[in-house]
Amino acid sequence: MAFVDLRIFTEPQQGASYEDLLRVAKATEDAGYDAFFRSDHYLKMGSATGLPGPTDAWITLAGLARETRRVRLGTLVTAATFRHPSVLAISVAQVDQMSGGRVELGLGSGWYDDEHTAYGLDLPPIKERFDRYAEQLAVVTGLWETPEGKTFSFDGEHYKLVDSPGLPKPAQRPRPPVIIGGGGKKRTPALAARYADEFNLPFVGPDAAAEQFGRVDDAAREIGRDPKEIIRSAALVVAVGRDDAEVAKRASVLGREVSELRENGLAGTPSEVVEKVGQWREKTGITRLYLQLLDLSDLDQIELIASEVAPQLD
């Protein structure tokens, strides 16, 4: 099988402290994974308690930048509704410096109504939201890519910057990788073609993913960009066990049925999961998978996948 690298992806809004995330991040690094990622949400979803409460994504990653050595760090995804793009560019650039150049920015338009209502954040109608999102991508990347000693100005409908020094600069030059994702058929592929180093599809099937990757490729060609410059990735929930009993136990902890997880995620024994990743790779051309680990106490699963699944994906 062609190479597929594996990343651990967490959802701390469901209930996790910084110490919980540190423990998982260190286990991720020690087991040899490529990256540790987290969501950027301020409110729990579903029946989880969410205790002890949300942790800020970029404050978390700043801490992890100093307490890890190798593993890459990022968000799937930061909402454009949470932070002014200039503030976001400064925060991410600083975390990139703190990590020695290991940061990646996943940026999305924002979508979760309840968290915006709960914390008094504006969630504009979808068209305005996407307009703001497009401007955010232009501002963040523009600030990072402005040479030292030069200034950056931007005159958009929603954001206006005049003679910004574009500081601080990230450690990675010209900028950290930008990850864009989602299923929109027109504007999303166009923005990905222009700004994305990686295009991610979370929690969809391989057929739908292949169609969307195709749209991104077409949009890239339209502006004269080689589609191969854009990494293809997916995110899937995991419930991997040494045998059927262990798989069932992990599914039960998540409150999910094994049959549903086999269909919609990566569930089963290591050999079953390797086979499914191979099917994904064949149908979609992905070279990266984000493994959604919902039980952050389950460090054994991190080690199991690293030892029994990852070696077969090289």
Side-chain angles (χ1 to χ4, degrees):
M1 182 191 301
F3 176 75
V4 177
D5 72 53
L6 301 180
R7 296 179 158 191
I8 294 296
F9 169 48
T10 61
E11 301 271 10
Q13 76 278 355
Q14 299 301 89
S17 66
Y18 173 75
E19 292 300 324
D20 295 327
L21 294 169
L22 174 61
R23 187 164 50 250
V24 175
K26 286 189 170 182
T28 297
E29 181 165 80
D30 291 345
Y33 289 86
D34 178 60
F36 171 89
F37 269 59
R38 59 158 292 164
S39 59
D40 193 357
H41 285 295
Y42 292 138
L43 189 70
K44 73 178 183 72
M45 301 171 191
S47 60
T49 67
L51 296 175
T55 48
D56 182 271
W58 288 102
I59 290 177
T60 297
L61 295 174
L64 296 179
R66 307 302 292 177
E67 299 198 69
T68 56
R69 305 172 307 281
R70 176 195 58 79
V71 73
R72 296 188 67 80
L73 303 165
T75 53
L76 275 186
V77 290
T78 285
T81 51
F82 286 178
R83 303 167 184 87
H84 190 284
S86 297
V87 174
L88 179 62
I90 290 168
S91 296
V92 177
Q94 183 179 2
V95 178
D96 197 47
Q97 290 280 0
M98 293 168 71
S99 70
R102 293 185 282 126
V103 157
E104 304 186 10
L105 172 63
L107 186 61
S109 61
W111 63 271
Y112 186 21
D113 295 58
D114 288 350
E115 72 184 339
H116 290 79
T117 302
Y119 286 95
L121 301 170
D122 290 335
L123 185 68
I126 187 65
K127 182 185 182 301
E128 180 185 340
R129 198 183 317 163
F130 241 84
D131 291 344
R132 288 179 177 272
Y133 175 43
E135 290 189 18
Q136 285 227 352
L137 285 163
V139 169
V140 171
T141 57
L143 287 168
W144 286 343
E145 293 174 357
T146 297
E148 290 186 19
K150 304 291 185 179
T151 60
F152 174 77
S153 296
F154 183 83
D155 186 17
E157 182 180 353
H158 302 286
Y159 303 104
K160 300 182 187 299
L161 287 73
V162 179
D163 295 336
S164 171
L167 298 173
K169 294 301 179 200
Q172 297 174 88
R173 299 298 179 96
R175 58 172 174 79
V178 171
I179 304 166
I180 291 175
K185 294 184 178 181
K186 293 184 178 180
R187 296 190 71 181
T188 297
L191 289 173
R194 184 171 179 183
Y195 296 107
D197 299 283
E198 175 180 335
F199 192 80
N200 177 265
L201 281 168
F203 317 120
V204 301
D207 293 335
E211 288 182 10
Q212 184 70 342
F213 287 136
R215 294 185 189 103
V216 173
D217 286 358
D218 291 343
R221 293 188 193 97
E222 286 178 12
I223 63 170
R225 185 179 181 192
D226 184 353
K228 293 180 180 178
E229 295 178 2
I230 304 172
I231 293 170
R232 293 182 174 192
S233 68
L236 295 169
V237 63
V238 291
V240 183
R242 294 169 182 83
D243 52 35
D244 288 345
E246 195 167 74
V247 174
K249 180 179 179 181
R250 288 197 160 111
S252 176
V253 170
L254 304 184
R256 307 272 287 268
E257 295 293 330
V258 172
S259 58
E260 181 267 325
L261 286 172
R262 287 184 192 274
E263 177 69 22
N264 299 317
L266 284 178
T269 62
S271 61
E272 290 173 323
V273 168
V274 168
E275 181 179 358
K276 184 157 188 179
V277 173
Q279 294 169 356
W280 260 88
R281 173 76 171 130
E282 183 177 347
K283 288 183 177 181
T284 67
I286 60 166
T287 57
R288 178 171 292 161
L289 265 175
Y290 292 81
L291 308 179
Q292 186 194 40
L293 184 77
L294 293 176
D295 180 2
L296 298 187
S297 69
D298 190 3
L299 303 185
D300 178 67
Q301 185 172 197
I302 292 175
E303 296 165 1
L304 173 64
I305 295 170
S307 62
E308 301 292 334
V309 175
Q312 299 186 64
L313 304 180
D314 288 340

